[in-house]
Amino acid sequence: VQLQASGGGLVQAGGSLRLSCTTSGPTFSSGGMAWFRQAPGKAREFVAAYRWSGGLQYDAESVKGRFTISGDSAKNTVYLQMDSLKPEDTAVYYCAAATALGYGYNNYAREMSYNYWGQGTLVTVSS
């Protein structure tokens, strides 16, 4: 299974970007996908998760109200719409896929919940 992330780039503060992540594998009804990010010199952190069954979404507090995760199972693709971007959102954004994903923040935010990872796409927000 391969994950292909795209959509990163350079944007001014207050602007928007939409990231896409397409998986070459099937979308398991018990699974889901997520976005993580890693800023320079910092640990990778959870951003948002999406469950294929029911379309349940979960956003980290740091992006709540600004970022929206969504999915299209027909296209095996998850999107991350990022609005009101801030310089502190600058990071490499990684998508990840889980064949079976438990419920709750502890499962969504745990890197080991995910079986497959994409290569990352760089988002740079200028002030």
Side-chain angles (χ1 to χ4, degrees):
V1 174
Q2 293 184 330
L3 276 63
Q4 182 66 46
S6 63
L10 174 64
V11 64
Q12 288 188 331
S16 299
L17 281 175
R18 189 176 82 153
L19 306 183
S20 300
C21 180
T22 300
T23 173
S24 63
T27 57
F28 296 91
S29 60
S30 60
M33 295 181 70
W35 289 96
F36 288 74
R37 67 185 181 184
Q38 187 168 22
K42 295 187 177 181
R44 189 155 58 184
E45 65 172 356
F46 169 74
V47 175
Y50 180 87
R51 303 186 63 91
W52 291 117
S53 178
L56 179 67
Q57 306 154 32
Y58 189 94
D59 305 320
E61 286 299 319
S62 60
V63 304
K64 201 174 291 288
R66 299 188 299 119
F67 292 9
T68 303
I69 190 170
S70 61
D72 185 337
S73 58
K75 297 181 179 180
N76 287 3
T77 299
V78 167
Y79 305 96
L80 185 68
Q81 177 66 41
M82 304 186 295
D83 299 317
S84 302
L85 282 160
K86 305 174 182 180
E88 51 263 43
D89 294 318
T90 294
V92 177
Y93 284 70
Y94 297 91
C95 61
T99 54
L101 186 60
Y103 288 87
Y105 173 80
N106 287 340
N107 286 299
Y108 300 147
R110 188 178 63 167
E111 293 188 20
M112 292 193 64
S113 294
Y114 301 91
N115 311 90
Y116 307 100
W117 290 80
Q119 83 287 2
T121 185
L122 177 63
V123 172
T124 303
V125 184
S126 63
S127 56

